[in-house]
Amino acid sequence: MLLKSSKQIISLLESLGVPCAFMVHSSAPTLPFISYTIETEAIKSDNQVYVEIEYLTAQIISNKREFALERKMKDLLNANKIIWTYDTTNYDQEEKIFLTQYTIGG
């Protein structure tokens, strides 16, 4: 499988039609929106790094579960042969928002 770059994955996320930004949006976006970080995992042995794997952690942030948006995102990633993992959904009582997290790429 050909791995997609973070830039390509971000372009796909931006095509979903909701605000999408790295970690923090410059202004308060309307809900729902996507916030992401870029992470790197190092595969190491014998005191050296052999491979670095880059992946995104993306959160769909909304005031209700966005099942249609989640399905749209998963379908888009699947159509582009990008691996993803559903991580968790949490509800923030104080902010009254849902945070649904996925790991994408890698």
Side-chain angles (χ1 to χ4, degrees):
M1 183 186 103
L2 196 61
L3 294 177
K4 304 285 189 210
S5 72
S6 294
K7 190 173 185 175
Q8 290 169 311
I9 295 170
I10 292 164
S11 291
L12 289 172
L13 293 177
E14 290 172 340
S15 75
L16 292 170
V18 297
C20 183
F22 179 76
M23 289 180 66
V24 180
H25 290 260
S26 57
S27 60
T30 57
L31 296 173
F33 64 89
I34 296 173
S35 179
Y36 64 87
T37 58
I38 300 171
E39 313 284 340
T40 303
E41 182 177 339
I43 307 298
K44 47 196 174 287
S45 181
D46 303 323
N47 296 320
Q48 71 181 36
V49 173
Y50 283 94
V51 177
E52 289 184 39
I53 300 171
E54 189 174 87
Y55 61 94
L56 274 75
T57 300
Q59 286 190 327
I60 297 174
I61 301 168
S62 58
N63 58 358
K64 61 181 175 63
R65 277 298 297 271
E66 291 288 338
F67 294 107
L69 177 58
E70 290 179 48
R71 177 81 269 149
K72 187 175 175 184
M73 182 178 77
K74 291 185 278 190
D75 289 347
L76 181 64
L77 295 171
N78 289 339
N80 284 276
K81 299 187 183 340
I82 298 170
I83 57 174
W84 57 270
T85 304
Y86 166 80
D87 295 324
T88 187
T89 297
N90 293 307
Y91 182 72
D92 184 320
Q93 292 280 353
E94 189 173 312
E95 297 288 328
K96 299 196 182 333
I97 56 173
F98 285 91
L99 304 141
T100 302
Q101 182 170 304
Y102 290 85
T103 300
I104 302 171

